[in-house]
């Protein structure tokens, strides 16, 4: 059966299994969304938003939809492999899409702070879910968002009260363990950061074993007035991992968003990162680094929507593509008619390490205001031969020279990660890719260590 | 045994003959100046010695310290003690001078079966050598040549030379683009590094640098060959008379 019919069928059965929940608001959203999914279907390459992104794995692989967490873990599965070493903060673990309290760690228990999961929140915070879920997401034109809403198993619900300034790093950890069949999970996260509060979030998804996993994730982030959020995605998954993740951000006045997406491995990755700058003086910083090889595929689609005047956006994505890997970058900047005095900057630089590597990069500017400053630039090319020769002429072999050049190319993006434990993990994983003992960073601080 | 022995070297670039039978012998302790008009093949000679890929060696041999240079990769030539001071040093943003030199020194030491220098020793040596070219501490933390002025770049080349202590250094138009103060600093650096065991080949268009780095031999490279050799007075003669008499005398005769 084709994936579309399979999902529609599944939803029918799921509906039949429900009792009282059918009257809930969430269920009405689900019903609406499954209809949209059915209408939209799986996008083809003719769809401009999916032009370079082949989705045939969805029909080529026989997926089942996850409906429960496994009763026990396989023998060679160690949950500790997936935690971030030395990470100090809350960890919310979801296995096959379902919250696992036993493996989670919630240390922040302040009054009015909510750190929980969607299934818990359904009853306790139903009014909040009603007010926020799907408010700004792209249900109507993205079938995967619609699919997620229709079938979301679980996810994180985090609500920070006003004036919560304590640094609060939270790691959302999604692990799929397909045991009998290839698996689809739909995780839905809702994060609300109230006025004058600060928070840090990390999202990671992993796929265990050789059966295929398809993570279809949607995160909604609400930044109230003068709040500040750091939002990190770190992707270092297996050859059996398929991932489509959409993050929809809504920013009020004076809010600040710092996002960094690091993609190092995964069979198929599509990241949608959208922010609406919906209050004056808000700012969004999108940083990204994809460093992939083999036959991996990474697609970053970003959208900064300048809806109000006097907002700043700054986007810097870099790519290193090796082997037969393919990367896609599509950066859209929208400046609405009243969004005067907008500053929007975008850059996408790529280095190809092999002749079989591919990059498709496209800036997309839609500017409807006249008093704005927008700039964008995209480059792609091979490593500078003259620079490599300069290293060699000093007794340094080509491999090390290449590592140095890639290290320095990527360092400004890595430095945007402000959580030490995460940055250390990223550095050590990149060092492994570069066959270096450790990464070198050109700053005075680091030079003292030489 | 001579340190460098070039015999009847013929080199093409993109099928065009650039060096047409060049021979040169350099012994430890000697400074050779190679002068010549633009397009005579000076930089090609430097590039071939260092192992740049764009050249096609058609004929001839180069022995460095008794070894066939064409069997060595550029990095191995450097590890064997050959150094090229670039005419146009490359900018490498994001890699500090200190890190670059530490890697270079230790790669060379590894090749020679020596233990890597520890951080303290390395730092001490680096500070010492930086003083030779009057560069301060901050410069060591800056990215290699990134945003350096022309003079700073050339001083950095001589600093690297001092760090790597090569047996043979080729200075490719190190004087180009330097004002007189920078020129003196660069020349001073070279004079402090020179000793009876190492040698220099100073490639230059002008005689100016040779006022400060006194050569034992001066050769004129013209149309791909060394056409005249002499002592340091030959440089003065060229300065006075220009290259025209060379062109007149050797055009048609040797081509």
């Amino acid at each position: 059966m084709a994936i579309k019919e399979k999902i529609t069928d599944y939803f029918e059965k799921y509906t039949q299994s429900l009792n009282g929940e059918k009257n809930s608001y969430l269920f009405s959203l689900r019903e609406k969304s499954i209809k949209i999914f059915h209408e939209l279907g799986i996008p083809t390459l003719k769809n401009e938003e999916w032009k370079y992104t082949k989705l045939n794995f969805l029909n080529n692989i026989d997926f089942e939809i996850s409906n429960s967490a496994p009763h026990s873990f396989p023998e060679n599965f160690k949950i500790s492999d997936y935690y971030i070493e030395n990470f100090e903060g809350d960890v919310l673990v979801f296995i096959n899409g379902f919250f696992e309290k036993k493996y989670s760690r919630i240390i922040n228990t302040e009054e009015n702070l909510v750190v929980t999961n969607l299934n818990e929140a359904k009853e306790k915070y139903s009014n909040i879910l009603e007010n926020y879920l799907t408010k700004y997401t792209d249900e109507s034109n993205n079938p995967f968002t619609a699919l997620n809403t229709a079938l979301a198993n679980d996810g994180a619900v985090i609500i920070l009260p006003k004036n919560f300034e304590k640094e609060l790093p939270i790691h959302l950890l999604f692990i799929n363990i397909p045991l009998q069949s290839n698996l689809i999970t739909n995780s839905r996260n809702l994060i609300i950061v109230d006025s004058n509060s600060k928070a840090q979030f990390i999202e990671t998804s992993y796929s265990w074993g050789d059966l295929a996993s398809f993570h279809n994730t949607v995160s909604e982030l609400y930044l109230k007035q003068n709040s500040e959020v750091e939002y990190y995605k770190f992707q270092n998954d297996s050859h059996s991992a398929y991932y489509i993740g959409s993050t929809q951000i809504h920013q009020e006045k004076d809010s600040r968003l710092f996002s960094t997406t690091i993609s190092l491995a995964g069979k198929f990755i599509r990241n949608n990162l959208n922010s609406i700058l919906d209050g004056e003086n808000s700012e969004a910083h999108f940083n990204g680094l994809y460093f992939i090889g083999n036959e991996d595929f990474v697609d970053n689609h970003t959208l900064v929507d300048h809806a109000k005047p006097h907002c700043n956006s700054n986007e810097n994505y870099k790519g290193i593509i090796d082997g037969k890997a393919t990367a896609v970058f599509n950066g859209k900047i929208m400046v609405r008619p009243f969004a005067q005095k907008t500053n929007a900057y975008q850059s996408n630089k790529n280095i190809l390490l092999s002749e079989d590597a591919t990059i498709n990069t496209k800036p997309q500017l839609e500017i409807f205001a006249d008093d704005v400053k927008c700039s964008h630039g995209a480059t792609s090319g091979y490593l500078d031969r003259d620079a490599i020769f300069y290293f060699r002429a000093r007794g340094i072999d080509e491999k090390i020279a290449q590592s140095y050049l890639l290290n320095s190319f990527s360092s400004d993006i890595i430095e945007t990660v402000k959580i030490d434990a995460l940055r250390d993990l990223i550095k050590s994983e990149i060092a492994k890719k570069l066959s270096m003992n450790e990464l070198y960073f050109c700053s005075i601080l680091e030079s003292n260590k030489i | 045994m001579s340190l460098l022995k070039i015999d009847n070297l013929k080199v093409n670039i993109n099928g065009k003959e650039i060096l047409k039978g060049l021979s040169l012998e350099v012994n430890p302790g000697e400074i050779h100046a190679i002068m010549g008009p633009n397009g005579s093949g000076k930089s090609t000679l430097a590039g071939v010695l260092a192992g740049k890929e764009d050249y096609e060696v058609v004929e001839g041999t180069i022995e460095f310290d008794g070894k066939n240079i064409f069997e060595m990769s550029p990095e191995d030539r450097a590890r064997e003690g050959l150094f090229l001071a670039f005419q146009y040093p490359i900018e490498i943003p994001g890699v500090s001078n200190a890190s670059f030199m530490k890697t270079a020194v230790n790669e060379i030491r590894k090749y020679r079966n020596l233990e890597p220098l520890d951080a303290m020793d390395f730092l001490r040596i680096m500070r010492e050598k930086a003083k030779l070219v009057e560069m301060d501490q901050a410069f060591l933390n800056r990215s290699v040549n990134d945003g350096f002025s022309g003079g700073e770049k050339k001083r950095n080349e001589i600093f690297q030379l001092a760090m790597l202590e090569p047996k043979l250094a080729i200075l490719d138009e190190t004087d180009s683009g330097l004002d007189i103060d920078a020129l003196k600093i660069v020349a001073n650096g070279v004079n402090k590094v020179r000793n009876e065991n190492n040698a220099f080949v100073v490639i230059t268009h002008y005689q100016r640098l040779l006022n400060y780095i006194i050569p034992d031999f001066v050769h004129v490279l013209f149309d791909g060959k060394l056409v005249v050799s002499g002592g340091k007075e030959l440089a003065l003669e060229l300065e006075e008379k220009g290259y025209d008499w060379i062109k007149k005398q050797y055009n048609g005769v040797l081509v």
Side-chain angles (χ1 to χ4, degrees), chain A residues 258-365:
Chain A
F258 299 88
S259 161
T260 303
T261 304
I262 309 267
S263 313
L264 302 184
K267 182 82 183 156
F268 176 99
I269 294 173
R270 163 69 174 245
N271 295 312
N272 297 311
L273 178 64
N274 306 334
S275 189
I276 306 171
L277 296 171
D278 205 9
E280 293 197 11
N281 293 313
S282 55
E283 52 183 271
H285 302 263
F286 287 6
N287 293 294
L289 172 69
Y290 38 95
F291 182 176
I292 52 169
N294 304 315
E295 292 181 8
D296 288 355
F297 175 87
V298 173
D299 174 358
N300 280 293
H301 262 65
T302 66
L303 166 62
V304 183
D305 184 349
H306 284 265
K308 291 279 152 63
H310 295 282
C311 294
N312 295 313
S313 67
N314 194 334
E315 180 165 14
N316 187 10
Y317 271 70
K318 287 186 171 180
I320 302 168
I321 307 141
D322 200 359
K324 291 180 177 168
T326 301
V328 177
F329 174 81
N330 189 102
K332 187 168 167 181
I333 298 172
M334 164 78 89
V335 182
R336 307 262 172 196
F338 298 108
Q340 301 294 4
K341 305 285 180 192
T342 287
N343 279 311
Y345 169 84
Q346 183 190 94
S347 161
N348 175 231
K349 290 182 179 157
N350 297 282
I351 292 178
L352 299 167
L353 294 181
S354 101
E355 301 213 337
D356 297 321
T358 308
I359 171 71
N360 294 298
T361 173
K362 187 177 146 198
Q364 218 183 326
L365 273 61

Side-chain angles (χ1 to χ4, degrees), chain A residues 390 392 394 404 440 447 450, chain B residues 75 96 103 119 141 157 160:
Chain A
Y390 194 62
R392 298 180 75 189
R394 299 297 176 252
Y404 263 98
Y440 175 75
S447 299
I450 45 150
Chain B
E75 53 270 33
S96 77
T103 308
N141 288 329
E157 293 296 287
Q160 293 178 20

Side-chain angles (χ1 to χ4, degrees), chain A residues 318-425:
Chain A
K318 287 186 171 180
I320 302 168
I321 307 141
D322 200 359
K324 291 180 177 168
T326 301
V328 177
F329 174 81
N330 189 102
K332 187 168 167 181
I333 298 172
M334 164 78 89
V335 182
R336 307 262 172 196
F338 298 108
Q340 301 294 4
K341 305 285 180 192
T342 287
N343 279 311
Y345 169 84
Q346 183 190 94
S347 161
N348 175 231
K349 290 182 179 157
N350 297 282
I351 292 178
L352 299 167
L353 294 181
S354 101
E355 301 213 337
D356 297 321
T358 308
I359 171 71
N360 294 298
T361 173
K362 187 177 146 198
Q364 218 183 326
L365 273 61
E366 295 184 12
I367 300 169
F368 300 101
D370 49 18
D371 188 9
V372 300
K373 274 187 203 152
C374 285
S375 72
H376 67 90
T379 61
S380 66
Y382 297 95
L383 277 173
D384 181 0
R385 295 303 308 168
D386 288 338
I388 289 184
F389 181 71
Y390 194 62
F391 277 87
R392 298 180 75 189
R394 299 297 176 252
I396 302 167
D397 70 35
E398 186 158 358
K399 182 88 192 142
I400 299 176
Q402 183 175 314
S403 296
Y404 263 98
L405 294 174
L406 295 177
N407 181 167
S408 75
F409 174 73
S410 54
S411 62
D412 61 335
I413 304 294
I414 299 166
E415 295 293 345
T416 64
V417 177
K418 302 297 179 203
I419 298 173
D420 293 346
L422 177 63
R423 195 178 55 252
D424 287 347
L425 172 65

Side-chain angles (χ1 to χ4, degrees), chain B residues 22-48:
Chain B
L22 184 148
S23 298
L24 174 71
E25 226 177 304
V26 179
N27 294 303
E30 292 176 352
I31 295 185
H32 291 247
I34 295 182
M35 303 183 68
N38 290 330
S40 58
K42 299 194 297 289
S43 283
T44 300
L45 176 62
V48 170

Side-chain angles (χ1 to χ4, degrees), chain A residues 25 121-131:
Chain A
Y25 173 75
K122 264 193 284 199
E123 287 169 19
K124 255 173 135 174
Y125 304 103
S126 60
N127 59 327
I128 294 180
L129 298 189
E130 267 185 46
N131 283 336

Side-chain angles (χ1 to χ4, degrees), chain B residues 154-195:
Chain B
K154 297 301 175 77
R155 276 153 71 184
N156 198 12
E157 293 296 287
I158 304 305
F159 162 72
Q160 293 178 20
L161 190 166
M163 287 299 297
L164 303 184
E165 296 181 329
K167 294 174 197 155
L168 174 71
I170 299 133
L171 311 186
D172 187 9
E173 309 227 6
T174 297
D175 51 340
S176 68
L178 290 191
D179 62 30
I180 192 71
D181 294 327
L183 187 79
K184 278 185 190 166
I185 293 172
V186 162
N188 251 328
V190 171
N191 288 328
K192 282 175 193 157
V193 173
R194 79 174 286 198
N195 59 45

Side-chain angles (χ1 to χ4, degrees), chain A residues 101-236:
Chain A
K101 199 164 192 175
K102 203 164 108 190
Y103 303 105
S104 300
R105 177 178 72 188
I106 299 174
I107 47 182
N108 288 290
T109 53
E110 278 83 349
E111 211 187 340
N112 298 326
L113 169 68
V114 177
V115 179
T116 186
N117 59 311
L118 188 61
N119 282 329
E120 278 286 314
K122 264 193 284 199
E123 287 169 19
K124 255 173 135 174
Y125 304 103
S126 60
N127 59 327
I128 294 180
L129 298 189
E130 267 185 46
N131 283 336
Y132 287 94
L133 274 180
T134 72
K135 201 167 165 191
Y136 295 101
T137 47
D138 55 353
E139 312 274 321
S140 58
N141 54 34
N142 185 340
F144 296 102
T145 307
L147 171 65
N148 183 283
T149 310
L151 294 182
N153 309 109
D154 207 346
V157 173
I158 297 161
I159 305 163
L160 263 74
K162 285 193 170 83
N163 306 316
F164 193 92
E165 284 225 39
K166 182 182 154 188
E167 290 234 318
L168 178 67
I170 299 180
H171 178 198
L172 310 182
L173 173 55
F174 301 90
I175 307 169
N176 278 7
I177 310 176
L179 291 175
Q180 274 93 40
S181 59
N182 304 304
L183 210 59
I184 300 181
T185 49
N186 293 284
S187 302
R188 183 60 161 254
N189 307 308
L190 174 65
I191 296 171
I192 302 164
V193 180
D194 214 335
S195 310
N196 309 317
S197 294
K198 275 186 182 179
Q200 297 171 310
F201 301 101
I202 304 170
E203 264 186 56
T204 58
S205 298
Y206 290 100
S207 307
W208 175 90
D210 290 326
L211 283 168
S213 272
F214 171 34
H215 296 259
N216 182 37
T217 305
V218 175
S219 300
E220 295 179 64
L221 260 79
Y222 293 86
L223 275 67
K224 302 287 183 186
Q225 264 191 39
N226 195 36
S227 63
E228 184 173 308
V229 168
E230 290 168 31
Y231 176 73
Y232 302 107
K233 258 190 194 184
F234 175 56
Q235 305 176 311
N236 197 19

